[in-house]
Amino acid sequence: MISRQLVLTYLYLLIYVCLSSGVILFNKWVLSPKYFKFPFPITLTMIHMAFSGIVTFFLVRVFKVVAPVKMTFHIYATCVIPISAFFASSLWFGNTAYLYISVAFIQMLKALMPVATFIMAVLCGTDKLRWDLFLNMVLVSVGVVVSSYGEIHFNVIGTLYQVTGIFAEALRLVLTQVLLQKKGLTLNPITSLYYIAPCSFIFLFIPWYLLEKPEMDSSQIQVNYSIFFLNALSAFALNISIFLVIGRTGAVTIRVAGVLKDWILIALSTIIFPESVITSLNIIGYAVALSGVVLYNYLKMKDVKTNQLPADNNPDRSTKDKKALNTYRPDNSMDNNDGTVIGGLASEAAAAVDEEAPLIPSARLSYVTRTQTGSFSNR
């Protein structure tokens, strides 16, 4: 008979795939001038950050589901603030891209995430230039270029917004490794949001006040609070689903689920948004880019296994390595909108993150992940 744990694992994976796809389509629908007609991506992102900060405050301080870390003013000023700035930027640019290009094309462009992270890691000195990875990045880039060439409704502004958001997220990944790893700080998705979401909200307030507030005042848009609440709630639920999934499965399974989610999302977007048209060049280019991403995952997982070999002769090291392997190292998703690596190579994370989880900052789950998952499961 199929074990209950296995059924729960696949159930959580299914929930993750559904929520991840749903949040992306929901954001597109809200921001699209053709549907919900709320073309204010900074405002939507600020709503997400406010909702995230409030909920995580109750989870951390009131219900004590997750214990807070020892956060000093120095660590907050030198680590959390700069990371929050790039986190806010990546969400801002990424959500703005929905105004100009289709969901399908956005997903194809996101194949560049490993490329951007690898480039930033090499430039910042956290990773070395390797020809096998470099050629792999060239393959991904060629695939994205082919896919872009085949895009019927290609928009330069939307593409620039999305690519800029990708590189801002990549730089955030590297900064998280460089800044927080030195402090020995370990965060999980809940505590990450607890510290980063309020700061990101403040960073977004300035561009919102200058760019979107005047237009919102003049247009006198009727605000539907229930829609925004459901949108923020679904985004936060996506983060919880990721929190549950990573406590029950490994990085390879999550990455496979992410690839499956991308194909499902591309197909669904063409049905929900009929104006999105996919050409044969789109499919060919994305398939080439995706093959490069899969190969990248294989090379990085191979590196991890190679680095674990010396542990066989050292019991203490072996125990630590097993803990490390059980630690989730998100790199891309939120989504959207939905993670970051703290304590591992940023380039290793670049292919597993869900950029469409807009509320999930880069984070590393350590022992607290495995102990607290049960608490979430029973809620």
Side-chain angles (χ1 to χ4, degrees):
M1 296 180 62
I2 301 177
S3 67
R4 179 174 178 271
Q5 296 298 324
L6 184 62
V7 171
L8 283 176
T9 298
Y10 282 104
L11 178 61
Y12 290 153
L13 281 172
L14 178 62
I15 293 174
Y16 157 71
V17 171
C18 293
L19 283 174
S20 181
S21 302
V23 168
I24 297 171
L25 296 173
F26 201 170
N27 286 346
K28 172 66 175 180
W29 180 80
V30 169
L31 293 171
S32 175
K34 185 178 180 181
Y35 296 96
F36 188 67
K37 300 178 181 180
F38 188 81
F40 301 105
I42 304 177
T43 306
L44 184 64
T45 307
M46 290 178 67
I47 293 173
H48 288 167
M49 293 296 99
F51 185 88
S52 174
I54 293 172
V55 173
T56 53
F57 174 82
F58 279 97
L59 290 177
V60 174
R61 292 297 181 182
V62 179
F63 300 109
K64 302 187 184 302
V65 175
V66 179
V69 300
K70 186 178 180 180
M71 180 69 66
T72 64
F73 176 79
H74 177 73
I75 294 178
Y76 196 89
T78 59
C79 299
V80 175
I81 289 180
I83 290 172
S84 299
F86 284 101
F87 180 50
S89 300
S90 66
L91 295 178
W92 169 16
F93 295 132
N95 283 334
T96 303
Y98 286 119
L99 300 177
Y100 301 95
I101 54 182
S102 66
V103 170
F105 187 47
I106 286 175
Q107 292 305 117
M108 296 176 187
L109 288 175
K110 284 178 180 178
L112 286 173
M113 188 62 199
V115 179
T117 309
F118 179 71
I119 292 174
M120 291 299 177
V122 171
L123 291 177
C124 294
T126 60
D127 206 349
K128 295 181 180 180
L129 180 61
R130 290 170 41 187
W131 287 108
D132 56 346
L133 289 179
F134 176 77
L135 294 176
N136 184 248
M137 298 298 99
V138 171
L139 178 63
V140 174
S141 301
V142 169
V144 173
V145 170
V146 173
S147 180
S148 301
Y149 183 77
E151 176 65 16
I152 294 179
H153 303 294
F154 181 82
N155 184 285
V156 176
I157 296 177
T159 302
L160 287 177
Y161 267 119
Q162 183 59 44
V163 173
T164 303
I166 289 172
F167 274 89
E169 174 68 6
L171 186 54
R172 180 179 71 90
L173 288 169
V174 177
L175 277 179
T176 302
Q177 179 192 355
V178 172
L179 297 178
L180 292 186
Q181 184 180 3
K182 291 181 179 179
K183 308 294 183 181
L185 191 62
T186 300
L187 302 175
N188 62 58
I190 305 301
T191 52
S192 295
L193 288 171
Y194 173 71
Y195 293 110
I196 293 177
C199 190
S200 296
F201 180 91
I202 295 174
F203 274 111
L204 289 168
F205 181 82
I206 298 175
W208 171 80
Y209 187 83
L210 297 176
L211 300 176
E212 291 190 358
K213 184 180 182 299
E215 187 176 351
M216 293 178 69
D217 291 339
S218 60
S219 60
Q220 297 181 345
I221 292 180
Q222 297 295 325
V223 178
N224 189 326
Y225 292 101
S226 61
I227 293 295
F228 291 122
F229 175 77
L230 289 175
N231 182 259
L233 180 62
S234 61
F236 190 80
L238 171 59
N239 290 282
I240 298 299
S241 71
I242 296 174
F243 189 60
L244 295 173
V245 167
I246 60 185
R248 291 181 173 272
T249 186
V252 175
T253 304
I254 295 173
R255 290 174 181 179
V256 171
V259 172
L260 177 63
K261 180 264 298 182
D262 289 340
W263 284 108
I264 293 175
L265 184 56
I266 290 174
L268 282 177
S269 66
T270 59
I271 298 174
I272 298 175
F273 306 108
E275 66 274 13
S276 300
V277 180
I278 298 179
T279 65
S280 57
L281 271 181
N282 283 144
I283 299 297
I284 294 173
Y286 185 58
V288 172
L290 203 58
S291 65
V293 173
V294 172
L295 181 58
Y296 173 86
N297 286 337
Y298 169 76
L299 292 174
K300 299 309 295 185
M301 294 301 295
K302 187 178 179 181
D303 290 345
V304 172
K305 291 182 179 180
T306 302
N307 293 334
Q308 299 303 318
L309 289 178
D312 295 337
N313 298 324
N314 190 329
D316 295 334
R317 172 70 181 278
S318 178
T319 301
K320 293 179 181 179
D321 289 343
K322 287 180 180 179
K323 290 182 179 180
L325 287 174
N326 289 330
T327 299
Y328 176 63
R329 297 178 175 181
D331 5 58
N332 142 336
S333 76
M334 279 149 27
D335 87 137
N336 161 196
N337 285 0
D338 263 41
T340 306
V341 181
I342 300 174
L345 290 177
S347 58
E348 292 179 20
V353 68
D354 188 342
E355 301 90 344
E356 294 313 321
L359 302 184
I360 185 168
S362 307
R364 177 188 175 209
L365 290 185
S366 60
Y367 177 74
V368 68
T369 302
R370 297 187 293 279
T371 57
Q372 294 296 338
T373 299
S375 300
F376 276 89
S377 302
N378 297 328
R379 291 182 61 186

